[in-house]
Amino acid sequence: HTWQTTAGGSFAGWSSLGGGVSASPAVARNADGRLEVFIHGTDDALWHAWQTTAGGSFAGWSSLGGGVSASPAVASNADGRLEAFIHGTDNALWHTWQATAGGSFAAWSSLGGGVR
């Protein structure tokens, strides 16, 4: 990842967040301004890392589990809670969400369907 050193200014050099990525990442902003990154890991789990403070450094990777077969999608609910969606290895659409804005994630729930 890279970031602007000042609003509208130049970018810093690239810095690795590590992890084993097997598809494009998804990024969303928490209600308090911190960025959170989601990846499809090489172990077919959904992993995420988040800024410890808005504009600050990132915490290490944490697994959310799940059987992921494609890039995740993430959105912010009206109340600021993040919700992640994955195409599961069972071809169903699955989702998990923050229990509270900026908080931990709930257990996975299937939305069903034959996603291809």
Side-chain angles (χ1 to χ4, degrees), residues 14-25:
W14 287 97
S15 179
S16 176
L17 293 177
V21 181
S22 62
S24 297

Side-chain angles (χ1 to χ4, degrees), residues 4 8 16-17 26 30 32 38 41 46 60 70 78-79 83 86 90-91 106 108 112 114-115:
Q4 284 183 308
S16 176
L17 293 177
N30 278 290
D32 62 4
F38 297 80
L46 183 67
D79 62 2
E83 190 157 356
I86 62 166
D90 62 354
N91 288 326
W108 286 100
V115 181

Side-chain angles (χ1 to χ4, degrees), residues 19-23 39-48 61-70 86 89:
V21 181
S22 62
I39 61 167
H40 170 193
T42 55
D43 61 354
D44 288 337
L46 183 67
W47 289 79
H48 67 130
W61 291 103
S62 179
S63 177
L64 291 171
V68 182
S69 65
I86 62 166
T89 54

Side-chain angles (χ1 to χ4, degrees), residues 74-97:
V74 181
S76 180
N77 283 291
D79 62 2
R81 293 175 304 114
L82 298 182
E83 190 157 356
F85 299 85
I86 62 166
H87 174 186
T89 54
D90 62 354
N91 288 326
L93 181 64
W94 290 81
H95 69 129
T96 184
W97 55 92

